[in-house]
Amino acid sequence: MKLKKYIMMVLFLSLFLTACGQGKIEPTMSSQVEDFEFTTQDGDTLSLNDLKGQWWIADFIFTNCTTVCLPMTSNMVQLQAKLKEANLDEVQLISFTVDPERDSPEVLKEYAESYGADLSNWTFLTGYDFERIQEFSYNSFMSMVQKDPNADQVGHTVRFFLINPEGEIIKSYRGDQYDQMDVIVEDLKKVF
């Protein structure tokens, strides 16, 4: 009889502890996104205030990139499909260009369309100068943006960032690694 009580208590504690872990993403970051208002691929504006109350994923790319942006953008397409499949398509995807002089709204829209991006919840942003995106990336995301003096390329992070409804960056993922897209979806399932 004591063994049966012991087993029941262990099962109860296991269920209780498992339930306590639900609804919480293990953070790897804690940084506030600084206020912004930038131009979308459609020529509209999007601000931090517009994203308040929503979960979103951010990354940094540019359309003339010959290296990491290719797998990052392909992975973001896959992430968008996985979010839709998991009924999480209200999560916003935001791509900031690090080459704003070249990446006009029209160029960004063409780039998005070439990847088959669904622009209902994925926005590409420009409408600032290079110094502003350098400061914004560093101040908000703790990530450096640097022009390559020997080429028309721009060095930037390969991370995807998860931002909560209060505008706080709580976690980052390797955006150039496909398996990380499943991790992002699993994390978001914990809060929806």
Side-chain angles (χ1 to χ4, degrees):
M1 193 67 165
K2 285 184 179 184
L3 180 61
K4 187 175 179 182
K5 277 186 175 181
Y6 176 76
I7 291 172
M8 292 299 285
M9 189 169 78
V10 168
L11 284 173
F12 173 77
L13 283 173
S14 296
L15 288 173
F16 178 75
L17 292 173
T18 301
C20 289
Q22 299 290 324
K24 184 135 171 88
I25 297 171
E26 194 65 40
T28 60
M29 294 183 71
S30 179
S31 176
Q32 195 68 33
V33 177
E34 69 180 26
D35 196 28
F36 69 86
E37 185 174 307
F38 298 145
T39 305
T40 73
Q41 74 281 342
D42 294 319
D44 299 324
T45 59
L46 183 79
S47 70
L48 177 61
N49 198 48
D50 295 328
L51 294 167
K52 291 284 175 142
Q54 300 180 70
W55 286 91
W56 50 292
I57 305 287
D59 75 342
F60 294 84
I61 53 94
F62 65 108
T63 63
N64 196 45
C65 181
T66 59
T67 57
V68 296
C69 300
L70 306 168
M72 288 175 65
T73 304
S74 293
N75 285 341
M76 192 71 91
V77 168
Q78 294 305 313
L79 176 60
Q80 187 175 46
K82 289 173 180 289
L83 290 170
K84 183 174 248 177
E85 185 179 298
N87 293 315
L88 297 170
D89 48 350
E90 67 272 17
V91 173
Q92 299 298 305
L93 306 176
I94 307 294
S95 292
F96 298 94
T97 181
V98 295
D99 189 6
E101 287 82 16
R102 184 172 307 181
D103 288 342
S104 66
E106 297 78 20
V107 169
L108 288 174
K109 187 162 191 167
E110 186 178 310
Y111 179 79
E113 289 171 349
S114 74
Y115 276 91
D118 177 353
L119 298 176
S120 66
N121 71 325
W122 188 353
T123 305
F124 292 76
L125 294 176
T126 190
Y128 37 80
D129 61 24
F130 183 75
E131 290 73 27
R132 174 67 177 118
I133 196 62
Q134 275 187 307
E135 292 168 6
F136 178 73
S137 178
Y138 184 76
N139 293 342
S140 295
F141 297 88
M142 295 178 263
S143 297
M144 300 292 289
V145 173
Q146 291 293 116
K147 285 187 178 179
D148 182 341
N150 302 314
D152 63 352
Q153 297 296 293
V154 181
H156 60 88
T157 183
V158 298
R159 308 298 289 184
F160 285 6
F161 299 93
L162 177 61
I163 298 97
N164 72 17
E166 292 76 43
E168 181 185 8
I169 305 161
I170 61 168
K171 193 166 182 179
S172 71
Y173 311 82
R174 288 291 305 258
D176 59 342
Q177 294 181 357
Y178 178 77
D179 64 333
Q180 290 287 285
M181 303 312 105
D182 290 326
V183 176
I184 295 171
V185 172
E186 290 307 311
D187 277 348
L188 283 164
K189 285 180 179 177
K190 296 174 185 175
V191 295
F192 278 91

